[in-house]
Amino acid sequence: MSGPLDRARLRRGWRYRSAVAARVGLAAFGGYALAGLATAFLSLTLPMVRSEAVATATLISFAILAGAVIWVFTARTLLRAALGLGLPIALVGLGLWLALDGVAMGPPA
């Protein structure tokens, strides 16, 4: 038999599962967006030969992605996790936009 306690437990179970699924999606897509933008930004702004800057930026992006995933799952609420990931994405995106404005695009090095 299904009593009120079982129904409440079932609803709470779905609520918990959907919150975890939302965090997984935010960590995967938001973390990837932040790591990708940071890679592009660092590739343009690191003071070294372009090929070395790209390799260094790519290595750093793995740590950024791991940090983003950790942040999403340690944040107290899903909203705080989204804001805590959205703000760096916006700032790095703005920095990339400004860095692209000052870079002369020539043949690849």
Side-chain angles (χ1 to χ4, degrees):
M1 278 194 196
S2 176
L5 183 60
D6 291 335
R7 280 188 227 131
R9 187 177 296 153
L10 182 63
R11 270 187 257 129
R12 186 173 53 234
W14 283 107
R15 194 173 299 143
Y16 174 76
R17 285 178 180 86
S18 64
V20 171
R23 286 181 189 257
V24 167
L26 181 63
F29 295 111
Y32 183 78
L34 180 60
L37 285 171
T39 301
F41 175 73
L42 291 172
S43 294
L44 293 174
T45 58
L46 285 175
M48 52 183 71
V49 177
R50 178 70 54 96
S51 59
E52 291 177 5
V54 170
T56 303
T58 302
L59 290 172
I60 292 171
S61 75
F62 290 114
I64 292 171
L65 179 60
V69 170
I70 290 169
W71 164 254
V72 167
F73 282 99
T74 57
R76 193 174 283 261
T77 64
L78 184 60
L79 178 63
R80 185 176 288 182
L83 291 174
L85 204 56
L87 182 63
I89 288 172
L91 291 175
V92 174
L94 177 65
L96 177 62
W97 182 61
L98 293 173
L100 279 172
D101 195 35
V103 172
M105 291 295 187

